[in-house]
Amino acid sequence: MEPAEEAQAASVCNLVAVFETSRTLGAVPGGHELENVHPSPDHRPQPSPGPWELPCGGGALGSGPRTVSGRYLSSLKNKLSSGAWRKSHQPDTCREPGMQEPEEKRVVRELLETEQAYVARLHLLDQVFFQELLREAGRSKAFPEDVVRLIFSNISSIYRFHADFFLPELQRRLDDWTATPRIGDVIQKLAPFLKMYSEYVKNFQRATELLAAWTDKSAPFQEVIARIQRSEASGSLTLQHHMLEPVQRIPRYELLLKEYVQKLPALAPDRVDAQKALDTIFSAAQHSNAAIAEMERLQGLWEVYQRLGLEDDIVDPSNNLLREGPVLKISSRRRDPMERYLFLFNNMLLYCVPRVLQVGAHFQVRTRIDVAGMKVRELTDSEYPHAFLVSGRQRTLELQARSREEMISWMQLQSEELGLRAPQWVRDKMVTMCMRCQEPFNALTRRRHHCRACGFVVCARCSDYRAELKYDGNRPNRVCLACYASLTGSLLSGDKRRGVLEKGASAGPDQSLMSSFLQLTGDKWGRCSPRGWCVIPQDDPLVLYVYAAPQDMRAHTSIPLLGYQVTVGPQGDPRVFQLRQSGQLYSFKAESEGLQRRWVRAIERAASGRTPEGPGEGDLSD
């Protein structure tokens, strides 16, 4: 390596250290104006101060900033994959007659022009949105400065690298193309900076969530963003649109560099370096594509939930919408089928009625049927062609499709979707307890596992089943019990016997003979004397279950009461009672003497083997 090249490589390494050290400082000292890096006049941002001010005749922008839509994200992914996005960025190829520009140089010119536009967008993000929000946070204290820094992540580092190094370097290479016809070595210098993009992409979803939350929560926060979005520099686009730009940029580098390598002559001196550069940025592009796909999924899911009225028991960001569409409901009372609408998710089927007055929600959910255990079969009925039966634990529906192809597609989604393709795994950080048994996870005895069929995060006990999955060559994979039942059609062969403590807490008199909180005293319960939710269930009237809370699905302790002796107030407190048998001693303390007497009466009856025979005997619950 020549001394000049060694010095330049060292300067790049120094830039990495400087950028990563300074990115947490928020504002860039002195403020880097885009004019210093010679962008093209077409993409030059508004000069400071006031690049966010309204243009003349501010009302000309019409409907205002546009929001990110699912259609936009979908088209974005397609463009990144196909290269169609570059059709609108074709450089001016008008040349003097007889002066044909080499194809590889044309690609480099295109790279430079898109880089100029990209730096202008980074300038808007870092020097306008970011700095204005920081100033407003420091002035009004209406929202924390830390929130602003979390939203913009390390955008300052990314902006400084592209404005101070990468864009000027590309400009110099194109200006001196005759003497130095190569950019592979310049692109390779991007490698140390790809970690900056990884950090930005990983933080992107959290940033958009914070942006949405504080826009709703803080009027000054919303006002600053709205003022900048109305400016000519913002181009009537939302901040969310601009924040997508760094996520898109790495895949665009990959597409342009791939075309550059293809256009290079076989013996071009830049071929080796260009190929190395392409290999370097390939993995970084995958992170950006994944972020776009995840945002597209969440955007589409949110739009569906809005059409359904945002019901609390339905909204779940981990769900996947598999299919939606209209059907006809065959009624036993009416001759004419009724119009209905179905939403099929990975874990549930929603049977909906269209709303007549479409204010807010477009559909009303009539029935939710769990996919686990749901069966679908075709109906043979000459009066109603293309009819099929949906049978679930919650309800059975006779439905009619508009065509046989549509009927088959509904039936295939139910029977073949599970196990046909690899599911999207629910992220570990989104759940704190098993999504099947609701037991909390911990690092030692209850660790996280993923069901390979539905992608749920489950514990080892709930995923201790094996089923053949088509997407994995019909090899047996770890699945949860619900998916095992759906894939194999058998509940008995896969269902394990429930433990004696796996019984949901019965909170009301309809489900329990006696239930209330009791203080757990004595050495048996430890020194802290915790309070437990104690239940004698109607369907198990000779056993006392002790839970930590009324909604728990698993008891800490179960005590078979048959044969126990009940001692009243042995510690001088009329609210205390004890259970004793063969060296076992349990002490309890009720909240009142009346509640203690009812517990003693219920336990004495169970200890003698008597169960309630009449309705009056079961009226003991608190």
Side-chain angles (χ1 to χ4, degrees), residues 353-566:
V353 178
R355 292 183 183 270
V356 178
L357 299 177
Q358 296 187 2
V359 179
H362 296 178
F363 299 96
Q364 178 184 1
V365 179
R366 283 287 181 87
T367 301
R368 168 180 170 170
I369 300 177
D370 293 338
V371 168
M374 184 177 73
K375 301 296 180 183
V376 181
R377 64 179 178 87
E378 183 178 359
L379 293 176
T380 304
D381 192 327
S382 58
E383 185 177 3
Y384 300 106
H386 322 311
F388 58 102
L389 184 74
V390 177
S391 178
R393 288 195 294 266
Q394 292 83 359
R395 187 174 176 183
T396 297
L397 301 169
E398 289 185 76
L399 304 173
Q400 183 183 14
R402 293 174 296 186
S403 65
R404 179 166 182 81
E405 292 74 18
E406 191 173 278
M407 179 197 71
I408 293 174
S409 66
W410 278 111
M411 296 177 63
Q412 286 179 337
L413 272 172
Q414 183 274 333
S415 59
E416 296 184 8
E417 182 72 26
L418 193 64
L420 181 62
R421 55 182 60 87
Q424 181 174 2
W425 283 16
V426 177
R427 295 189 295 277
D428 287 353
K429 66 179 181 180
M430 295 183 65
V431 294
T432 61
M433 60 179 63
C434 174
M435 298 178 70
R436 293 302 185 193
C437 71
Q438 288 78 50
E439 282 289 321
F441 292 117
N442 59 64
L444 297 178
T445 61
R446 192 173 296 277
R447 301 179 62 186
R448 290 171 167 83
H449 299 273
H450 277 91
C451 171
R452 269 56 174 181
C454 66
F456 276 21
V457 183
V458 291
C459 64
R461 185 179 59 192
C462 289
S463 60
D464 192 18
Y465 304 92
R466 295 278 172 175
E468 295 178 355
L469 301 179
K470 292 184 179 180
Y471 75 81
D472 194 29
N474 288 323
R475 285 189 289 269
N477 280 263
R478 176 193 288 268
V479 297
C480 64
L481 175 58
C483 291
Y484 180 87
S486 181
L487 289 165
T488 64
S490 172
L491 286 174
L492 295 178
S493 60
D495 197 6
K496 296 186 176 181
R497 186 179 300 277
R498 294 177 65 185
V500 294
L501 301 180
E502 294 178 53
K503 187 178 184 67
S506 302
D510 294 339
Q511 297 84 30
S512 62
L513 299 175
M514 187 69 194
S515 60
S516 75
F517 279 109
L518 293 173
Q519 199 76 23
L520 312 177
T521 62
D523 296 338
K524 188 72 176 178
W525 307 107
R527 298 179 180 179
C528 60
S529 297
R531 192 172 73 148
W533 179 257
C534 300
V535 179
I536 300 178
Q538 283 189 358
D539 59 354
D540 201 358
L542 303 182
V543 179
L544 172 65
Y545 291 87
V546 182
Y547 300 85
Q551 301 303 321
D552 281 359
M553 299 302 297
R554 188 174 188 270
H556 286 306
T557 305
S558 64
I559 306 173
L561 297 174
L562 194 62
Y564 268 86
Q565 179 184 0
V566 185

Side-chain angles (χ1 to χ4, degrees), residues 116-276:
Q116 290 168 339
Y118 177 52
V119 170
R121 187 67 57 87
L122 291 177
H123 177 88
L124 181 66
L125 279 171
D126 181 50
Q127 296 295 296
V128 181
F129 278 107
F130 184 25
Q131 299 304 327
E132 275 296 293
L133 285 170
L134 277 180
R135 279 192 284 270
E136 179 63 26
R139 184 187 64 81
S140 67
K141 307 297 182 184
F143 49 91
E145 292 185 16
D146 288 345
V147 169
V148 180
R149 290 191 168 88
L150 285 173
I151 290 174
F152 289 91
S153 186
N154 58 340
I155 193 66
S156 296
S157 299
I158 296 174
Y159 169 58
R160 293 183 62 193
F161 167 71
H162 286 272
D164 294 350
F165 169 72
F166 192 58
L167 178 59
E169 190 75 8
L170 283 177
Q171 184 70 61
R172 281 194 293 270
R173 285 300 174 89
L174 189 61
D175 293 343
D176 196 29
W177 186 258
T178 304
T180 315
R182 58 191 306 137
I183 60 165
D185 56 335
V186 176
I187 301 292
Q188 283 191 66
K189 292 172 185 176
L190 270 174
F193 299 92
L194 293 182
K195 61 181 180 180
M196 295 193 300
Y197 278 92
S198 297
E199 181 177 341
Y200 185 90
V201 170
K202 285 189 290 186
N203 184 68
F204 184 74
Q205 182 179 342
R206 183 186 182 193
T208 55
E209 292 170 353
L210 285 172
L211 178 61
W214 281 95
T215 300
D216 292 339
K217 187 184 301 185
S218 172
F221 185 93
Q222 183 183 34
E223 195 277 331
V224 170
I225 293 176
R227 188 170 70 248
I228 302 173
Q229 287 178 162
R230 291 193 301 266
S231 71
E232 184 179 358
S234 187
S236 298
L237 297 176
T238 65
L239 173 56
Q240 194 180 39
H241 267 92
H242 297 305
M243 290 172 62
L244 267 172
E245 191 76 12
V247 178
Q248 306 166 22
R249 189 56 184 166
I250 296 297
R252 290 184 175 184
Y253 284 141
E254 181 189 13
L255 290 170
L256 280 170
L257 190 56
K258 187 179 297 184
E259 184 176 356
Y260 174 73
V261 172
Q262 292 172 351
K263 301 297 184 183
L264 281 175
L267 300 179
D270 199 22
R271 174 168 289 276
V272 175
D273 282 341
Q275 186 60 54
K276 288 180 180 178

Side-chain angles (χ1 to χ4, degrees), residues 274-290:
Q275 186 60 54
K276 288 180 180 178
L278 180 59
D279 296 339
T280 300
I281 67 173
F282 174 77
S283 59
Q286 307 312 305
H287 293 287
S288 297
N289 284 330

Side-chain angles (χ1 to χ4, degrees), residues 37-147:
V37 295
H38 310 294
S40 65
D42 294 340
H43 303 288
R44 188 183 303 272
Q46 297 297 316
S48 182
W52 53 88
E53 294 174 356
L54 281 170
C56 296
L61 292 178
S63 59
R66 300 187 294 271
T67 59
V68 175
S69 66
R71 181 179 299 176
Y72 169 79
L73 290 164
S74 181
S75 65
L76 170 62
K77 279 207 311 176
N78 294 334
K79 288 177 181 179
L80 291 181
S81 301
S82 65
W85 65 272
R86 286 188 268 111
K87 292 179 181 178
S88 60
H89 294 285
Q90 293 294 341
D92 183 10
T93 56
C94 296
R95 298 284 181 265
E96 296 180 10
M99 298 293 291
Q100 183 67 34
E101 186 176 56
E103 286 294 313
E104 65 272 21
K105 184 179 179 182
R106 180 191 61 78
V107 177
V108 175
R109 187 181 300 279
E110 188 175 351
L111 174 61
L112 174 63
E113 293 180 353
T114 58
E115 184 69 12
Q116 290 168 339
Y118 177 52
V119 170
R121 187 67 57 87
L122 291 177
H123 177 88
L124 181 66
L125 279 171
D126 181 50
Q127 296 295 296
V128 181
F129 278 107
F130 184 25
Q131 299 304 327
E132 275 296 293
L133 285 170
L134 277 180
R135 279 192 284 270
E136 179 63 26
R139 184 187 64 81
S140 67
K141 307 297 182 184
F143 49 91
E145 292 185 16
D146 288 345
V147 169

